[in-house]
C-alpha cells in the first residue's frame, strides 16, 4: 500500500495536550496519531472529508476498545456554500433474526446481529467529496496510515489498558479476543502493539475498495467467521448494508442554527434540550452559577422523558416531527420547576465511541462519531480478519411493543449525535462527545458556554461537567457532579433537591468531547481543542505552510 507510515506521521512536531490549536485547517481527535493522519491529508491539499476518513481509519487501529471496522459511524457535513447533510453509517439487523429477542445479549454473538456500516460510510463520504468538494484522494491512500499502524504497531494508550483491566473478569471467554487484545505484557514497555490480521484486512480494502468489506474477499472471510462464532449475519446482510444521507434536524438557538442527525439517533434529544434552555432564558443565568446547572439538568430531564419514542423512521413515525415543534418545546419548558429538581429514575444506555472533527482551509467541515457501542463491542473477533464486531444489537428494546424493537433490516436507537452550529449559514462550531446517555448532557453545557458565554473551546472543555443517572459502574440515579464546581453551586443544587454525588474533576465519566470553532471568512482561522479528560489532541495547519502550528 502507498501512503504515510507511522514513522512519517511521528515526524511532526510533538503535540501538547493542553491549550488551543489554531490554523486555517484543523483536526481534533482522541488520539495523536489519528489527528496527524488527518492533518497529513490536509497538508497534501486534501479536503475535510478526505482528512476525516484518514483520521477515522487510524482511530479504528489505535482505539480498538472504542471503534473499529466492525462498527458504525454518524457524520455531519457542512460547508459555506449552503450544503448541510447527515450521513448515517448505521448497520441493520439481520434478515433472519435470532429466535430469542425477548432478552437481547449485551456481549457475545447474540449481541452482534447488526451489520457494520463504518466502511460504507467512508465510501459514501468520499463520493460526496468528489462530487461537491473537488476531492482527489483515492481510498487506498487515505487508509494507508491505518494499514501502517496495524502492521508496524503503536504504543498502547492508557485508555486502552484501562478498559482491558476494567473488563479483566470477562474478556478471557470472548471468542478470539485474548489472542489479539491481551496487551498486559506490553505494560510499561516500549514494545509496539501490532495487529497483523487487521493489517491484512486493510490491505484487502485497499486492493478491492470499500465495497470489498461487503461483497469481496474480506466479506467472504467475515461470513466464514460469522458461521464459526455463531453471529447470525449472512452474506446477503453484508451486501444489503448501505450508509444513507439524510436531511439534518435543525433548531434555532440565540441567532445560531444547530444541526443534528435525525432518527434513529438521539440528535433530537440534544436539540430539544437547547430549545428548552432558550425558552428558559439560559443566557440570563449567572455564568457557572446554581441556576446555570439547575436549568440545564432540568431541561435534560424533560428531553429524556420523550427519548424512548426515537426509533428507525423507516419502520416507525419519526418522533422528531412532533417533539421539536414549538408547542412541544413550550410544554416541556413549562414543566421545568426553577426551584426544585424533578425526581429522576431512567433506563441507562451504555456506550463508548470516538469523536473527530475536521475543517479545511475553505471552511468545509466534518463532525463525526465512530463506535462499536460498548467498550470492546461484542467482544467477538470475527474469524481471522482481526475485526472486533460491535454489539449494537443490544441497543434494541426486547419489549415487543417498543418502537425500537428488532425487526429484519431495522436499525436500532442510536446515541451518536455529532453536531454543527451554523451562523449566517456557515459552519461556526463542530462538536461531539463520547458517552451514550451522557452525550446530550455534555453537549448542552458546552454549547451554552460557547454560544452564550463566549468561552474558547479549551475553556469550555475544561469547565466542570456532570452526568445524570446510572452508569456502567454506578447503579444510582444520582447527579454525578465534578468537584471543581463552587461550594455555592453544590449547596444550591442540594437545596433544590438534586441527589448530588461528587466525582473527581475532569472525570472520564463525563465523556471525551472535541470542539472546533471557525472564526469566519474574515480571518479564515479556526480554534480547536480536545477534552482534557482524555488523551486526544487538536492540531492546525497554516494555509501557506506544510507544517502544523500549535499555540498553547
Amino acid at each position: 500500500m502507498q501512503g504515510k507510515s507511522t514513522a512519517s506521521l511521528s515526524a511532526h512536531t510533538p503535540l501538547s495536550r493542553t491549550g488551543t490549536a489554531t490554523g486555517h485547517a484543523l483536526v481534533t481527535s482522541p488520539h495523536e496519531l489519528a489527528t496527524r493522519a488527518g492533518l497529513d491529508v490536509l497538508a497534501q491539499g486534501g479536503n475535510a472529508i478526505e482528512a476525516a476518513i484518514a483520521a477515522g481509519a487510524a482511530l479504528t487501529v489505535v482505539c480498538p476498545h472504542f471503534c473499529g471496522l466492525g462498527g458504525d459511524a454518524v457524520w455531519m457535513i457542512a460547508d459555506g456554500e449552503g450544503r448541510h447533510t447527515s450521513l448515517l453509517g448505521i448497520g441493520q439487523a439481520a434478515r433472519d433474526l435470532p429466535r430469542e429477542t425477548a432478552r437481547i445479549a449485551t456481549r457475545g454473538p447474540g449481541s452482534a446481529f447488526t451489520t457494520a456500516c463504518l466502511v460504507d460510510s467512508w465510501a459514501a463520504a468520499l463520493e460526496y467529496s468528489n462530487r461537491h468538494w473537488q476531492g482527489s484522494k483515492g481510498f487506498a491512500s487515505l487508509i494507508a496510515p491505518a494499514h501502517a499502524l496495524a502492521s508496524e504497531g503503536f504504543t498502547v494508550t492508557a485508555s486502552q489498558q484501562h478498559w482491558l483491566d476494567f473488563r479483566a473478569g470477562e474478556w478471557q471467554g470472548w471468542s478470539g479476543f485474548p489472542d489479539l487484545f491481551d496487551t498486559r505484557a506490553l505494560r510499561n514497555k516500549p514494545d509496539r502493539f501490532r495487529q497483523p490480521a487487521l493489517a491484512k484486512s486493510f490491505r484487502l480494502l485497499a486492493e478491492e475498495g470499500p465495497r470489498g468489506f461487503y461483497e469481496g474477499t474480506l466479506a467472504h472471510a467475515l461470513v466464514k467467521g460469522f458461521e464459526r462464532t455463531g453471529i447470525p449475519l449472512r452474506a446477503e446482510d453484508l451486501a444489503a448494508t448501505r450508509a444513507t444521507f439524510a436531511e439534518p434536524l435543525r433548531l434555532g438557538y440565540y441567532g445560531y442554527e444547530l444541526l443534528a442527525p435525525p432518527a434513529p439517533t438521539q440528535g433530537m434529544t440534544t436539540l430539544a434540550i437547547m430549545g428548552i434552555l432558550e425558552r428558559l432564558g439560559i443566557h440570563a443565568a449567572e455564568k457557572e452559577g446554581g441556576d446555570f446547572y439547575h436549568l440545564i439538568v432540568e431541561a435534560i430531564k424533560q428531553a429524556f422523558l420523550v427519548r424512548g419514542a426515537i426509533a428507525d423512521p423507516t419502520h416507525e413515525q419519526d418522533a422528531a416531527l412532533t417533539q421539536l415543534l414549538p408547542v412541544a418545546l413550550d410544554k416541556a419548558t413549562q414543566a421545568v420547576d426553577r426551584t426544585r429538581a424533578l425526581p429522576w429514575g431512567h433506563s441507562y444506555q451504555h456506550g463508548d465511541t470516538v469523536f473527530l472533527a475536521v475543517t479545511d482551509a475553505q471552511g468545509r467541515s466534518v463532525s463525526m462519531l465512530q463506535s462499536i457501542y460498548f467498550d470492546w463491542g461484542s467482544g467477538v473477533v470475527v474469524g481471522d480478519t482481526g475485526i472486533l464486531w460491535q454489539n449494537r444489537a443490544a441497543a434494541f428494546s426486547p419489549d415487543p411493543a417498543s418502537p425500537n424493537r428488532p425487526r429484519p433490516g431495522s436499525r436500532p436507537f442510536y446515541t451518536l449525535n455529532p453536531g454543527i452550529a451554523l451562523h449566517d449559514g456557515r459552519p461556526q462550531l463542530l462538536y461531539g462527545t463520547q458517552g451514550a446517555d451522557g452525550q446530550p448532557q455534555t453537549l448542552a453545557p458546552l454549547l451554552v458556554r460557547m454560544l452564550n458565554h463566549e468561552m474558547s473551546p479549551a475553556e469550555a472543555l475544561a469547565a466542570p461537567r456532570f452526568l445524570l443517572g446510572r452508569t456502567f459502574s454506578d447503579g444510582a440515579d444520582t447527579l454525578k457532579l465534578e468537584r471543581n464546581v463552587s461550594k455555592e453551586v453544590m449547596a444550591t443544587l442540594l437545596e433544590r433537591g438534586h441527589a448530588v454525588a461528587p466525582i473527581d474533576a475532569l472525570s472520564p465519566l463525563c465523556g471525551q468531547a472535541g470542539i472546533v470553532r471557525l472564526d469566519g471568512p474574515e480571518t479564515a482561522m479556526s480554534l480547536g481543542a480536545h477534552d482534557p479528560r482524555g488523551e486526544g489532541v487538536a492540531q492546525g495547519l497554516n494555509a501557506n505552510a506544510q507544517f502544523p502550528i500549535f499555540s498553547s
Side-chain angles (χ1 to χ4, degrees):
M1 293 179 65
Q2 300 296 314
K4 297 286 181 180
S5 70
T6 50
S8 64
L9 288 173
S10 299
H12 286 310
T13 304
L15 303 182
S16 166
R17 290 194 171 91
T18 61
T20 300
T22 65
H24 294 90
L26 195 141
V27 181
T28 183
S29 90
H31 198 288
E32 181 175 338
L33 291 174
T35 296
R36 287 175 169 172
L39 205 71
D40 244 12
V41 172
L42 295 176
Q44 296 160 15
N47 63 43
I49 286 176
E50 294 167 332
I53 293 170
L59 285 171
T60 67
V61 180
V62 297
C63 295
H65 51 311
F66 287 161
C67 72
L69 297 182
D72 288 343
V74 175
W75 298 61
M76 296 296 296
I77 301 170
D79 61 27
E81 306 299 318
R83 285 180 286 261
H84 316 129
T85 191
S86 301
L87 175 57
L88 305 180
I90 300 176
Q92 81 281 350
R95 295 184 182 183
D96 295 324
L97 292 175
R99 293 181 180 180
E100 179 57 60
T101 57
R103 181 185 178 279
I104 300 173
T106 56
R107 299 282 191 185
S111 70
F113 60 85
T114 65
T115 61
C117 200
L118 170 63
V119 174
D120 195 65
S121 82
W122 291 342
L126 194 59
E127 182 181 349
Y128 184 98
S129 159
N130 294 339
R131 187 167 67 249
H132 296 299
W133 291 359
Q134 298 78 51
S136 61
K137 303 297 182 185
F139 181 73
S141 70
L142 295 176
I143 65 172
H147 174 266
L149 287 165
S151 178
E152 299 172 21
F154 60 94
T155 302
V156 174
T157 62
S159 175
Q160 182 175 336
Q161 290 287 23
H162 166 81
W163 287 104
L164 185 77
D165 293 344
F166 190 84
R167 302 296 180 189
E170 305 172 50
W171 55 257
Q172 286 86 351
W174 294 348
S175 179
F177 186 94
D179 290 342
L180 251 64
F181 295 110
D182 183 1
T183 56
R184 292 174 296 180
L186 301 180
R187 201 182 307 272
N188 301 321
K189 293 182 179 180
D191 296 0
R192 289 172 172 252
F193 172 49
R194 293 177 172 83
Q195 301 171 78
L198 183 62
K200 179 181 177 182
S201 292
F202 270 108
R203 179 175 58 77
L204 289 173
L205 287 175
E207 292 172 354
E208 299 186 356
R211 287 306 299 176
F213 188 92
Y214 303 96
E215 298 167 291
T217 304
L218 182 53
H220 180 69
L222 288 169
V223 171
K224 288 176 60 178
F226 295 153
E227 292 172 352
R228 287 202 299 268
T229 56
I231 290 176
L233 292 169
R234 302 293 178 260
E236 55 268 29
D237 295 313
L238 287 180
T241 303
R242 290 290 193 283
T244 57
F245 287 97
E247 183 65 23
L249 301 178
R250 299 169 184 266
L251 181 84
Y253 179 80
Y254 287 105
Y256 296 88
E257 186 175 28
L258 306 182
L259 306 184
T265 82
Q266 64 174 341
M268 179 197 84
T269 303
T270 297
L271 294 189
I273 294 166
M274 303 312 296
I276 295 168
L277 288 174
E278 184 172 28
R279 285 162 171 76
L280 289 170
I282 190 64
H283 71 287
E286 180 186 358
K287 183 178 179 180
E288 302 301 317
D291 276 351
F292 171 86
Y293 287 93
H294 174 76
L295 293 178
I296 294 178
V297 170
E298 295 307 298
I300 288 167
K301 291 176 181 177
Q302 293 300 319
F304 271 53
L305 287 173
V306 296
R307 194 179 64 155
I310 300 173
D312 188 340
T314 62
H315 291 263
E316 294 286 336
Q317 181 179 356
D318 190 350
L321 297 177
T322 57
Q323 298 303 330
L324 290 179
L325 291 174
V327 63
L329 295 175
D330 290 344
K331 182 179 178 181
T333 303
Q334 292 162 9
V336 172
D337 188 330
R338 293 176 178 271
T339 63
R340 197 72 189 163
L342 178 73
W344 193 243
H346 186 72
S347 61
Y348 168 65
Q349 289 280 341
H350 179 82
D352 285 300
T353 181
V354 292
F355 172 75
L356 68 98
V358 183
T359 188
D360 60 30
Q362 285 72 47
R364 299 170 299 198
S365 300
V366 168
S367 176
M368 72 171 295
L369 286 153
Q370 298 182 168
S371 176
I372 52 172
Y373 200 28
F374 287 22
D375 56 279
W376 303 115
S378 67
V380 177
V381 177
V382 183
D384 59 0
T385 66
I387 296 173
L388 187 64
W389 211 256
Q390 65 182 351
N391 62 332
R392 186 59 67 170
F396 281 119
S397 171
D399 181 354
S402 170
N404 186 41
R405 64 190 181 277
R407 282 161 281 192
S410 65
R411 299 171 298 172
F413 168 77
Y414 236 72
T415 53
L416 306 190
N417 71 126
I420 294 178
L422 305 177
H423 187 63
D424 293 334
R426 302 176 64 89
Q428 173 90 50
L429 284 182
L430 318 177
Y431 50 88
T433 185
Q434 172 204 54
D437 273 2
Q439 288 191 27
Q441 301 186 48
T442 291
L443 296 181
L446 287 178
L447 286 170
V448 173
R449 285 166 173 146
M450 293 284 294
L451 300 179
N452 297 105
H453 298 164
E454 299 183 351
M455 287 187 178
S456 72
E459 289 170 335
L461 289 167
R465 295 212 293 261
F466 57 81
L467 180 63
L468 174 67
R470 305 170 191 175
T471 71
F472 57 85
S473 60
D474 183 350
D477 280 310
T478 53
L479 177 63
K480 296 156 184 67
L481 181 64
E482 291 185 331
R483 298 178 190 274
N484 51 333
V485 298
S486 69
K487 293 180 180 178
E488 290 76 16
V489 165
M490 192 74 74
T492 297
L493 294 177
L494 289 169
E495 288 169 4
R496 295 185 186 181
H498 294 274
V500 177
I503 57 177
D504 291 341
L506 301 180
S507 169
L509 282 178
C510 294
Q512 295 181 33
I515 300 173
V516 172
R517 189 182 80 197
L518 290 74
D519 277 353
E522 295 80 13
T523 64
M525 290 294 286
S526 299
L527 302 177
H530 207 275
D531 210 310
R533 293 162 185 80
E535 299 165 274
V537 293
Q539 193 173 16
L541 274 179
N542 187 307
N544 299 312
Q546 302 301 299
F547 56 85
I549 59 174
F550 189 91
S551 63
S552 58

